[in-house]
Amino acid sequence: MLEGSILQQLSDAHKTGPRPLRFGVYYKNTLVALCHALEDSILSSNCSPIVITAFQRGKWYLQEAERYREIAAKSRQITIMAAPDTGFAEHPTSKLPNVNLVSLAPVDPVAQEWHLMILSPTYTAMVICQELSRSDYGAGGQPEADLERKFYGFWTFEPALVWETVELAKSRIGQYNPELEEKLTAQLKAMPREGNQQPEDLGAIVSRVVDYLQSSHEDLIKDKHGEIPPSHHELLDINLVSNELQAFVRMAQLMELANTGNPMSTAEVAALAETMGQILDLPAWQLKRLRLAGLLHGLVPSLTPATSSQEEVPCCALVPGIQALRAMPQLKAIASIITHFTEWWNGSGTPAGLAYDAIPLESRILGLVTDFQWRVSQYKASQNSRAESLSQALAECQALAGERWDPKLIEALTLLVKGLQQGLSLPVTPPKVSTGMWLFDDHQESNLVSN
């Protein structure tokens, strides 16, 4: 990372915390599509955000200036950072009252970064990255095609990270324009930070991200047909699928955070589901599918465990997140697993009233470990010890064997809890979804298993 860059500052701030940031490498064509999708979501909402961008050089801003005229009409404030080029300050968009340009010094590391920060009470999103150096590209050198350049960083919907990065960017802006920094400070102070940070149309935003990524990928392959070697086609395909997967995982994490307040609950459920599968001696491809379903289960509104089935869960057709999953062929089985993880063993659950072995095995496992993880977290929040929390949560799940849960899976959960009490450690780490292709294999679209 470039010394003194915003990306490095943010990374350093999270190195010793409970959630280190997970970075990946992105092609420029991917970032263009991603940023356009996130920006266009401003146009379809009434969020009136503060937008801060870094375009590297002014010429990249000029390519987007007409789009930013429309975005400015829906935004509270737009600040654009870039090393200036001819025409940078002369474009009509730059003259709008709520648009400010910050001409970066060529030696400023931010002039090598590409950022998009969107901050409002109801919609937050961020792309933050910097271009790979010549040495990072290796023996092949930098690509000739501009859209195949690569950048290192990450993107997110998470409000806390967007707020934190906006504060870093605001400080950098203040080095060039103290008055603008004061203006941004006042606007941020007036913006509420509490309340529901999850946009009502998050499913639509993610669907737009996936659509834009797919269109950008198809256009690049079409325009560069014959110029891109077949081996590179495969790399671009992998990059596309990984970025589509990131969109869904980030959406699930945000929804889970809003519902539980626990930023690690998604990773915990994924680890528990995978370990349960290992106890049941499931094949490797099914373990991967369980882990991926665990990472994405937050797409369904979180439910407090109940002792009866009166608690209704919207069917798949009413859950935008699950519907959006079906846009990717590789995730159709995952969508079905998540759809049915709220079924009950005795058939009184939702959304389809499936019973016994008619409920897919992966759905039964996911439902049980999600409920168990929630109960453990509640006991921990009450200052119970880890051993007590595990025992009490297990006892409550055992009481529902044969009614809500598959008795065979309760036996497996009992073994898992004994292992945890004796020192078994689960690999609970935030998923590095930027390299998420490892979660896919030839069985990804196989039929669900019921046994």
Side-chain angles (χ1 to χ4, degrees):
M1 292 185 198
L2 295 173
E3 186 71 27
S5 66
I6 293 176
L7 187 67
Q8 186 200 45
Q9 289 178 289
L10 188 64
S11 175
D12 288 349
H14 289 264
K15 277 185 177 178
T16 58
R19 295 184 64 209
L21 302 181
R22 312 285 284 182
F23 299 103
V25 175
Y26 305 86
Y27 286 98
K28 181 177 178 180
N29 76 300
T30 296
L31 289 178
V32 170
L34 174 59
C35 289
H36 283 180
L38 298 177
E39 291 163 350
D40 286 357
S41 295
I42 297 173
L43 301 177
S44 62
S45 72
N46 295 308
C47 62
S48 188
I50 292 173
V51 180
I52 299 178
T53 68
F55 276 112
Q56 294 183 286
R57 301 198 64 80
K59 64 179 181 179
W60 305 125
Y61 158 68
L62 290 174
Q63 292 181 5
E64 303 291 333
E66 287 301 322
R67 295 185 74 256
Y68 265 73
R69 184 200 298 267
E70 296 181 58
I71 294 169
K74 300 279 288 186
S75 300
R76 184 173 317 185
Q77 176 71 39
I78 294 180
T79 301
I80 298 165
M81 298 184 284
D85 285 306
T86 302
F88 177 56
E90 286 72 31
H91 193 281
T93 300
S94 308
K95 308 299 184 182
L96 295 174
N98 64 334
V99 175
N100 290 94
L101 303 184
V102 176
S103 296
L104 299 174
V107 295
D108 192 325
V110 180
Q112 301 300 318
E113 295 189 290
W114 181 347
H115 303 323
L116 169 65
M117 306 165 207
I118 301 170
L119 181 62
S120 80
T122 58
Y123 173 39
T124 59
M126 175 175 71
V127 178
I128 176 169
C129 54
Q130 58 189 224
E131 188 165 8
L132 268 61
S133 66
R134 289 183 178 273
S135 60
D136 290 330
Y137 278 104
Q142 291 178 306
E144 295 183 8
D146 179 64
L147 290 177
E148 295 175 52
R149 290 160 52 203
K150 295 179 181 179
F151 293 77
Y152 180 72
F154 78 109
W155 69 278
T156 185
F157 292 118
E158 190 170 326
L161 283 176
V162 180
W163 272 94
E164 183 179 356
T165 311
V166 165
E167 291 289 349
L168 293 174
K170 180 169 67 71
S171 296
R172 184 61 57 97
I173 290 166
Q175 297 176 16
Y176 295 90
N177 188 335
E179 292 182 359
L180 178 56
E181 181 185 19
E182 291 179 6
K183 181 179 180 180
L184 288 169
T185 298
Q187 290 176 333
L188 291 170
K189 187 175 180 180
M191 184 180 293
R193 296 188 63 155
E194 302 298 327
N196 181 20
Q197 296 288 328
Q198 177 186 321
E200 295 180 3
D201 61 349
L202 189 57
I205 293 172
V206 170
S207 294
R208 180 180 288 114
V209 169
V210 172
D211 289 343
Y212 282 31
L213 287 171
Q214 290 176 343
S215 297
S216 173
H217 179 75
E218 291 167 1
D219 291 343
L220 178 63
I221 296 298
K222 179 180 178 181
D223 294 343
K224 298 294 181 180
H225 183 69
E227 299 178 33
I228 303 175
S231 60
H232 202 171
H233 278 220
E234 183 178 354
L235 292 175
L236 291 172
D237 288 342
I238 291 173
N239 185 259
L240 169 69
V241 175
S242 291
N243 280 281
E244 290 176 322
L245 178 59
Q246 284 184 67
F248 291 116
V249 172
R250 297 191 193 290
M251 177 180 172
Q253 288 174 324
L254 181 57
M255 293 180 72
E256 187 73 357
L257 179 62
N259 287 322
T260 69
N262 177 6
M264 291 299 292
S265 60
T266 294
E268 290 170 359
V269 167
L272 284 167
E274 187 175 22
T275 306
M276 278 280 286
Q278 291 171 342
I279 291 174
L280 296 169
D281 200 26
L282 300 183
W285 64 267
Q286 208 168 356
L287 296 178
K288 288 184 179 181
R289 204 155 72 174
L290 265 173
R291 181 169 181 80
L292 184 50
L295 293 175
L296 295 173
H297 83 281
L299 294 174
V300 172
S302 180
L303 298 176
T304 303
T307 56
S308 72
S309 61
Q310 299 303 310
E311 194 167 20
E312 292 295 327
V313 182
C315 70
C316 177
L318 299 180
V319 180
I322 297 181
Q323 284 296 87
L325 285 179
R326 300 186 187 279
M328 285 182 67
Q330 300 93 334
L331 293 179
K332 288 182 178 179
I334 301 299
S336 295
I337 292 170
I338 297 173
T339 296
H340 295 292
F341 89 107
T342 51
E343 305 284 1
W344 285 41
W345 180 249
N346 64 6
S348 62
T350 57
L354 300 180
Y356 310 118
D357 288 336
I359 307 170
L361 176 60
E362 292 113 315
S363 298
R364 281 178 267 153
I365 293 172
L366 180 61
L368 176 56
V369 299
T370 301
D371 180 86
F372 174 74
Q373 188 276 336
W374 185 91
R375 294 178 189 278
V376 170
S377 67
Q378 296 302 298
Y379 282 117
K380 284 183 178 179
S382 301
Q383 306 302 315
N384 289 41
S385 68
R386 180 172 183 270
E388 290 175 335
S389 299
L390 290 170
S391 295
Q392 290 172 318
L394 174 62
E396 291 176 0
C397 290
Q398 289 172 329
L400 294 172
E403 180 184 358
R404 187 171 186 179
W405 307 123
D406 179 350
K408 299 189 300 292
L409 296 187
I410 290 294
E411 293 176 7
L413 180 63
T414 302
L415 291 175
L416 173 56
V417 170
K418 287 182 179 178
L420 293 172
Q421 291 173 329
Q422 294 174 8
L424 174 67
S425 178
L426 296 180
V428 180
T429 57
K432 190 172 183 179
V433 292
S434 54
T435 53
M437 285 301 294
W438 67 272
L439 288 165
F440 294 119
D441 61 22
D442 293 338
H443 294 83
Q444 193 61 43
E445 299 180 60
S446 300
N447 292 330
L448 300 187
V449 179
S450 297
N451 58 22

